[in-house]
């Protein structure tokens, strides 16, 4: 039996693969152009994959086509457009992920994170060697981002005492971290 415009839908219902071949022969250029219009000419390989997915979708979901609502050509173009939009989203997510991975895993970041880890360990060692209350105030203020008033209430100190202890701790840290650079201590 020869497949044509009149019987290809019926043959698709009967799972005749020649009906799919007929659709591909008739509409592949049109579908490819519609997909390429959405994805852009720089994504030809993705467009080819998308076209294959579209025809597979048509094969599996041909029963959703309603000839009373639109022509088969318009239905196929609508499917093509929305499938291409899905592909474009997938491509943009993939590109963004690659960029983020490149930014996250550069040599500078590894070196910087190692140095940061060392500095944190130095800071914690320095704080451990100092006054326990000063350490707690420093951690609450700069690591836990607590308000100075709340710190003063919890530790039963005046606000001025909290500021003085923070000032002393910061100066101690600055002296130890920047002794090589000879930076001036905060006054």
């Amino acid at each position: 039996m020869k497949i044509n415009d009149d019987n290809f839908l019926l043959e698709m219902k009967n799972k005749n693969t020649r009906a799919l071949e007929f659709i591909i022969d008739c509409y592949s250029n049109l579908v490819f152009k519609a997909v390429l219009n959405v994805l852009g000419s720089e994504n030809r390989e993705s467009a080819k994959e998308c076209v294959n997915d579209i025809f597979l979708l048509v094969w599996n979901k041909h029963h959703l086509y309603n000839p009373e609502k639109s022509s088969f050509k318009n239905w196929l173009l609508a499917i093509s457009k929305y499938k291409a939009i899905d592909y474009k989203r997938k491509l943009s997510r993939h590109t963004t992920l690659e960029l983020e991975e490149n930014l996250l895993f550069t040599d500078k970041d590894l070196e910087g994170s190692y140095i940061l880890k060392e500095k944190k360990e130095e800071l914690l060692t320095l704080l451990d060697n100092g006054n326990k209350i000063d350490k707690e105030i420093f951690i609450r203020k700069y690591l836990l981002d607590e308000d100075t008033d709340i710190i003063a209430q919890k530790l039963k100190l005046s606000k001025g005492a909290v500021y003085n202890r923070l000032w002393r701790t910061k100066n101690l840290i600055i002296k130890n971290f920047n002794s090589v650079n000879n930076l001036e201590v905060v006054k």
Side-chain angles (χ1 to χ4, degrees):
M1 172 180 224
K2 184 171 168 116
I3 308 292
N4 57 33
D5 284 333
D6 298 326
N7 67 357
F8 76 91
L9 285 173
L10 179 64
E11 292 300 316
M12 281 190 59
K13 285 180 185 174
N14 295 331
K15 295 292 184 184
N16 186 344
T17 56
R18 289 187 303 165
L20 181 61
E21 290 171 11
F22 173 79
I23 293 170
I24 291 171
D25 289 342
C26 290
Y27 298 107
S28 61
N29 286 338
L30 182 66
V31 169
F32 185 74
K33 286 178 185 175
V35 169
L36 208 55
N37 190 34
V38 173
L39 294 180
S41 59
E42 66 277 356
N43 294 317
R44 287 183 102 61
E45 290 303 313
S46 295
K48 289 176 186 177
E49 286 179 35
C50 185
V51 169
N52 289 335
D53 285 352
I54 290 167
F55 286 117
L56 182 63
L57 184 71
V58 168
W59 176 254
N60 291 325
K61 304 286 183 176
H62 65 276
H63 61 278
L64 296 175
Y65 167 64
N66 185 351
E68 295 172 4
K69 288 186 177 180
S70 69
S71 68
F72 182 79
K73 178 181 172 183
N74 288 342
W75 181 73
L76 182 60
L77 284 173
I79 290 172
S80 301
K81 177 184 170 189
Y82 290 114
K83 193 70 169 169
I85 290 170
D86 288 344
Y87 258 74
K88 188 168 187 162
R89 285 184 191 128
K90 188 170 94 174
L91 286 172
S92 68
R93 267 188 253 127
H94 182 69
T95 304
T96 304
L97 182 62
E98 283 179 2
L99 286 174
E100 288 174 359
E101 285 176 356
N102 288 339
L103 291 174
L104 289 175
F105 299 113
T106 62
D107 291 337
K108 286 184 178 180
D109 285 337
L110 291 175
E111 181 182 335
S113 64
Y114 180 75
I115 291 170
L116 184 61
K117 183 180 175 186
E118 280 186 356
K119 294 291 184 186
K120 283 181 182 178
E121 289 172 4
E122 266 183 66
L123 176 64
L124 290 174
T125 304
L126 186 63
L127 289 173
D128 282 338
N129 293 336
N131 185 308
K132 300 298 179 200
I133 294 175
D134 291 349
K135 175 185 174 183
E136 185 175 351
I137 291 171
F138 187 86
I139 289 172
R140 286 178 181 268
K141 179 67 177 174
Y142 295 112
L143 300 179
L144 301 177
D145 201 30
E146 283 187 16
D147 188 52
T148 309
D149 292 326
I150 294 171
I151 296 170
Q153 285 175 347
K154 286 182 180 177
L155 298 177
K156 296 180 180 161
L157 295 170
S158 70
K159 197 172 171 182
V162 171
Y163 281 121
N164 283 337
R165 287 174 179 268
L166 285 171
W167 177 80
R168 278 196 310 254
T169 307
K170 283 192 297 186
N171 279 335
L172 179 66
I173 292 168
I174 289 170
K175 280 180 188 176
N176 284 301
F177 279 144
N178 297 319
S179 62
V180 175
N181 298 328
N182 295 325
L183 292 179
E184 191 175 313
V185 176
V186 179
K187 296 182 181 178

